[in-house]
Amino acid sequence: MKEIFLGTDGLFPTPREISFSCSCPDWTLMCKHVAAVLYGIAVRFDENPLLFFELRGIDVERFVQVTLENSVDSMLSNMDVKSDRIIESDDWEALFGLV
Ligand SMILES: [Zn+2]
């Protein structure tokens, strides 16, 4: 998921892809008008986080469906692979130094 959102060509724009401009005489990078627009966008994202996908032209239902299918496929392809997080010992007392 991290790659989908933050990777190259990910869903989140990189700082270089974001620019601000306003025709007002304020010389700062982020004038009060730009700040107000960003605040308005943030409020709308708070109200509807899925708006982010809509703005990127992504069909959310299809995105979730494909992500779930890929997760299931990945889990099924790894079902015979033993996790390295499984403790092999049956001697639990010794493992925790209780003997
Ligand atoms: Zn302005």
Side-chain angles (χ1 to χ4, degrees):
M1 292 302 275
K2 182 180 177 183
E3 186 64 29
I4 292 171
F5 286 97
L6 301 175
T8 306
D9 297 327
L11 295 176
F12 284 131
T14 63
R16 289 183 182 185
E17 292 176 300
I18 300 172
S19 63
F20 307 112
S21 68
C22 184
S23 60
C24 78
D26 191 340
W27 54 268
T28 59
L29 175 64
M30 189 179 304
C31 68
K32 60 187 175 188
H33 308 104
V34 170
V37 168
L38 293 176
Y39 181 78
I41 291 170
V43 168
R44 293 200 178 190
F45 280 144
D46 281 346
E47 292 170 350
N48 179 14
L50 299 180
L51 178 61
F52 177 80
F53 294 96
E54 290 178 35
L55 291 174
R56 287 297 214 180
I58 296 170
D59 180 344
V60 175
E61 289 185 26
R62 178 78 181 128
F63 177 77
V64 170
Q65 179 184 3
V66 169
T67 301
L68 288 175
E69 287 171 0
N70 289 343
S71 295
V72 169
D73 288 346
S74 175
M75 285 189 287
L76 289 175
S77 69
N78 290 321
M79 69 182 189
D80 292 329
V81 178
K82 194 170 187 174
S83 171
D84 59 356
R85 293 183 290 177
I86 296 174
I87 299 171
E88 296 288 340
S89 176
D90 288 336
D91 190 3
W92 296 101
E93 291 86 5
L95 184 66
F96 290 101
L98 300 175
V99 239

